[in-house]
Every structure is written in C-alpha cells, then in structure tokens.
C-alpha cells in the first residue's frame, strides 16, 4: 500500500471552487531521492504561469506529475475540479486504472523539449492521428482542423512535409499544433525551446505568445526569463524540489523577495 492509499488528507475534499489547476503539498520520490517536497501551485483558467529554477529543481517533475507521466507520492493534484490519478472511497484514496488516467490526461496538452513527432508521418498526419484514433473524430473533420492549426502556428504550407524536412523550430510548432488538436483544457510546456538553435527560439516563443493572448491556460517550464517576464501572469521559482517564491511576473523578476531567487536570476541574466 502506498502512502497515498491512506486516510484522505483534508485538502482532497476541497475540489469545488479550486482553480483549473491546483497542487497541494505535492511530494514525489524516486527511490531515496526526494524530487518534490510540499509543492503547492495554483493556476487560474486563462492564466499563464511560468516555472523557473536551476536544473534539478523539480520543475519538469512537477509538470510530469500534472500530466500523470509520474504518479505523486504525497499531497494531491486537481485539474478542472477533478482529483488526478486517484479516487476517493470510504475516505481513502486508491489509484485510478490506466484507462481513467488516460481520460484525465486528455485534458492536458504536453509539449516536450524534444519534438517526438512520428518520423513516418507528415506534419498534418502527426496532428490528426490523436483526434482520429483517440477522440474518434472523422478523418476529414480532423484534417480540416489540422490545417487550421498548422496555419495558426505559421506552417500552412508544410502540411505534406515530413519531420526530417522541417527545422527544429518548425517541428516544435507542429508539436504545439498536435497538442492543441486534442482540445486540452491546459497546455503544458517543458522547456520547449531548450533543444533549438538560438535563431529558431523566437518563432516558437511567438506561437506561445499568441496562445497566451488568445486566453489559453498555460504552465510553462522555461529558462527564457525574458519570455517569462513578458508573457507570464505569475512566475514560480523552484529550487531543490520546493517552491521558494511565487508572485506576479514583473514583480518577481525585477524585485524578488528571496535571496535564492535573486541569485538565480542574476546568474542567468549574467550569462545572457
């Protein structure tokens, strides 16, 4: 029996009225290594929250827990008012079966550092595969929307191109369109520009800025501090698996309250 399969903590009864994303005292262990410790992060609908911090601070682990690629060991996560990964029965938590986890996961669109496109499929086929196979959309309908999404990310002319014929920035924009094709409630970005050559970063960030202006709820793990300052509503700074500081983007970036946050921002800006 895992630690989660115990008497339910008080927070787990609080789903009504929560933000669209809510984490309460989330903990994650990998063997003896504690990757997350009491991480509490809320995201309101339509809000953009950027998570920054040094390598190994737990940023990506939290995102993977939110997308249920990792199962949390402590605390609780909700998405759109639904407890993620667990069901409540007789005041005890029990893990959901994989089919239910897959259903919950469809509420999030995940964009990874690496593009993970199917190399044997065109850009359009990469985008339409999920809606057709998972959502059971008619192929013609999925392709029509796929073309609109390609246009939205500035790649209308690349529908028939294969990943090998696309630049890294173009592949990442196809990956964003692919995630959007599943009609997610929340878009999750895990350092989406870290694998790109510097001259290609701007085209991906431009698409993300357009999504933010359109009101898409976004949680973005990023090392692009300029993007965080410009686009985020709030910034969360993490270190050693904990939330050190959170606040409005410009306030946290310009006048952080914690010394660890100040040192991190100073060191990153000094390298740019």
């Amino acid at each position: 029996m895992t630690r989660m399969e115990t008497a339910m903590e008080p927070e787990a009864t609080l789903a009504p009225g929560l933000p669209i994303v809510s984490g309460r005292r989330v903990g994650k262990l990998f063997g003896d290594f504690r990757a997350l410790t009491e991480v509490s992060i809320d995201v309101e609908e339509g809000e953009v929250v950027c998570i920054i911090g040094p390598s190994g601070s737990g940023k990506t682990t939290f995102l993977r827990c939110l997308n249920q690629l990792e199962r949390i060991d402590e605390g609780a996560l909700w998405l759109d008012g639904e407890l993620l990964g667990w069901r409540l029965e007789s005041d005890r938590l029990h893990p959901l079966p994989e089919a239910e986890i897959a259903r919950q996961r469809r509420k999030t669109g995940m964009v990874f550092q690496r593009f993970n496109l199917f190399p044997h499929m065109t850009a359009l086929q990469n985008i339409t595969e999920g809606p057709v196979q998972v959502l059971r959309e008619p192929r013609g309908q999925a392709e029509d929307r796929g073309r609109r999404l390609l246009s939205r990310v500035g790649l209308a002319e690349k529908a028939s191109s294969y990943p090998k014929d696309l630049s890294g920035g173009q592949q990442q924009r196809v990956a964003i369109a692919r995630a959007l094709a599943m009609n997610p409630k929340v878009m999750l970005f895990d350092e989406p520009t870290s694998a790109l050559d510097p001259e290609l970063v701007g085209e991906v960030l431009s698409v993300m800025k357009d999504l933010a202006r359109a009101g898409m709820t976004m949680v973005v793990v990023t090392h692009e501090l300029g993007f965080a300052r410009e686009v985020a509503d709030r910034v969360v700074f993490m270190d050693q698996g904990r939330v050190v500081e959170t606040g409005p983007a410009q306030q946290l970036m310009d006048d952080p309250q914690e010394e660890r946050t100040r040192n991190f921002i100073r060191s990153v800006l000094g390298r740019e």
Side-chain angles (χ1 to χ4, degrees), residues 55-179:
S55 297
S57 61
K59 310 181 302 294
T60 291
T61 298
F62 178 76
L63 215 62
R64 289 176 63 85
C65 289
L66 188 55
N67 198 41
Q68 300 195 75
L69 296 174
E70 303 287 352
R71 190 185 291 275
I72 66 174
D73 297 303
E74 301 161 353
L77 283 167
W78 293 266
L79 176 63
D80 197 27
E82 185 177 11
L83 184 66
L84 291 182
W86 305 86
R87 61 181 171 82
L88 175 63
E89 187 175 293
S90 301
D91 291 329
R92 300 178 75 86
L93 286 171
H94 303 275
L96 290 178
E98 286 301 318
E100 277 297 291
I101 289 176
R103 178 191 60 78
Q104 291 185 334
R105 190 179 289 129
R106 290 200 292 270
K107 292 186 177 184
T108 59
M110 184 86 167
V111 179
F112 299 89
Q113 296 178 32
R114 296 291 175 178
F115 325 122
N116 298 325
L117 299 180
F118 296 116
H120 62 289
M121 293 184 178
T122 66
L124 182 61
Q125 289 169 337
N126 266 280
I127 294 168
T128 58
E129 186 71 6
V132 170
Q133 298 298 328
V134 178
L135 302 181
R136 302 298 188 222
E137 282 188 15
R139 186 167 296 276
Q141 176 180 319
E143 288 182 351
D144 286 345
R145 192 153 60 86
R147 293 182 189 279
R148 291 196 298 271
L149 287 170
L150 279 172
S151 180
R152 184 175 183 180
V153 300
L155 294 173
E157 76 286 359
K158 298 294 185 180
S160 300
S161 298
Y162 288 88
K164 66 180 178 63
D165 299 318
L166 300 174
S167 70
Q170 290 170 335
Q171 290 186 59
Q172 192 63 296
R173 284 186 279 161
V174 172
I176 293 172
R178 179 179 60 182

Side-chain angles (χ1 to χ4, degrees), residues 159-217:
S160 300
S161 298
Y162 288 88
K164 66 180 178 63
D165 299 318
L166 300 174
S167 70
Q170 290 170 335
Q171 290 186 59
Q172 192 63 296
R173 284 186 279 161
V174 172
I176 293 172
R178 179 179 60 182
L180 291 170
M182 298 297 287
N183 293 317
K185 294 276 188 178
V186 180
M187 285 287 286
L188 309 176
F189 294 87
D190 182 16
E191 303 221 28
T193 62
S194 65
L196 300 178
D197 292 334
E199 64 268 23
L200 302 177
V201 168
E203 63 189 52
V204 174
L205 294 182
S206 177
V207 169
M208 294 172 65
K209 291 174 185 178
D210 288 342
L211 291 178
R213 284 191 289 266
M216 173 63 71
T217 306

